[in-house]
Amino acid sequence: MEFPESELFRTVFYEHYPVVKRKLTALVRDESAAEDLAQDVFLRLYRNPPDDPDALGAWLHRVLTRIGYDYLNKKVRERKLQDKQELLFGTEAGPPTGEETVLSKLDQEDVRGWLDGLPERDRQALLLRYSGYSYSEIAVQLGVNPPVVGTLLSRATYKLRQQATESLPQPDSQTNF
């Protein structure tokens, strides 16, 4: 099949374009992308028409299917790359704001105050645990048996929680709004 003049191609285009676009829209689920892909199908038809004019419908269907699947595969690759980049580079906008820094320092001061209110052994146990030490390393540092460390940490955490609860302002249950 040869397109020596654009009139024959224009006739084929106007006859088959709506079907090609409809099939691509159903395949890729994006109408604007389907329009672009349909143009690609007809560009390929213009550049390299099928040898048999009777096979034009089948040729168009095969080409639009390949182009549609290539587009979908490209979108999947782009999505995977974007997810990978978000994992590698994080989604944080930048350094913390001044307000976030001040709030963080206030929180740290509160925790330091609560820790200072604990007995020395409890404070040491919590600091060691949250610094990444294992139970056996904590036992060596505190001079206790390793099985005791879990109980010691549990009790120290309970005492810290109590100190935090007592120091935070409690809402007045008598107040009616």
Side-chain angles (χ1 to χ4, degrees):
M1 183 174 199
E2 185 103 9
F3 291 113
E5 289 298 319
S6 61
E7 190 58 41
L8 178 59
F9 179 77
R10 184 176 294 136
T11 304
V12 169
F13 177 82
Y14 285 128
E15 182 180 334
H16 293 280
Y17 180 81
V19 174
V20 169
K21 182 181 165 245
R22 186 184 75 238
K23 288 180 179 181
L24 282 166
T25 301
L27 181 62
V28 299
R29 307 240 186 257
D30 181 357
E31 193 165 346
S32 63
E35 289 175 359
D36 292 341
L37 296 173
Q39 289 178 9
D40 287 344
V41 169
F42 283 99
L43 185 61
R44 287 189 188 181
L45 175 64
Y46 188 80
R47 290 181 178 163
N48 188 20
D51 295 329
D52 183 11
D54 295 332
L56 180 63
W59 187 93
L60 286 172
H61 182 75
R62 175 173 280 210
V63 172
L64 79 86
T65 303
R66 286 182 180 166
I67 286 177
Y69 284 132
D70 288 347
Y71 172 81
L72 292 174
N73 289 334
K74 177 183 171 195
K75 286 296 179 189
V76 167
R77 285 192 312 272
E78 287 173 353
R79 199 172 314 120
K80 285 181 181 178
L81 178 62
Q82 184 177 5
D83 292 345
K84 193 175 192 180
Q85 287 175 338
E86 287 175 0
L87 280 175
L88 289 175
F89 301 115
T91 56
E92 292 183 19
T97 64
E99 181 182 8
E100 292 170 339
T101 304
V102 168
L103 289 174
S104 175
K105 286 183 180 180
L106 289 174
D107 289 343
Q108 290 174 1
E109 289 174 10
D110 287 343
V111 172
R112 281 190 194 112
W114 300 331
L115 283 170
D116 288 342
L118 294 177
E120 181 63 27
R121 188 168 86 165
D122 292 346
R123 181 174 49 251
Q124 282 290 355
L126 287 173
L127 289 173
L128 290 170
R129 182 63 184 153
Y130 290 104
S131 295
Y133 284 74
S134 68
Y135 278 33
S136 58
E137 292 170 326
I138 294 171
V140 169
Q141 289 288 324
L142 297 178
V144 297
N145 290 329
V148 176
V149 173
T151 304
L152 183 66
L153 286 171
S154 177
R155 289 180 182 163
T157 303
Y158 177 76
K159 289 176 188 175
L160 182 66
R161 191 175 296 129
Q162 274 187 323
Q163 289 226 357
T165 304
E166 290 170 3
S167 70
L168 294 175
Q170 299 296 321
D172 189 11
S173 60
Q174 303 281 331
T175 306
N176 293 329
F177 290 98

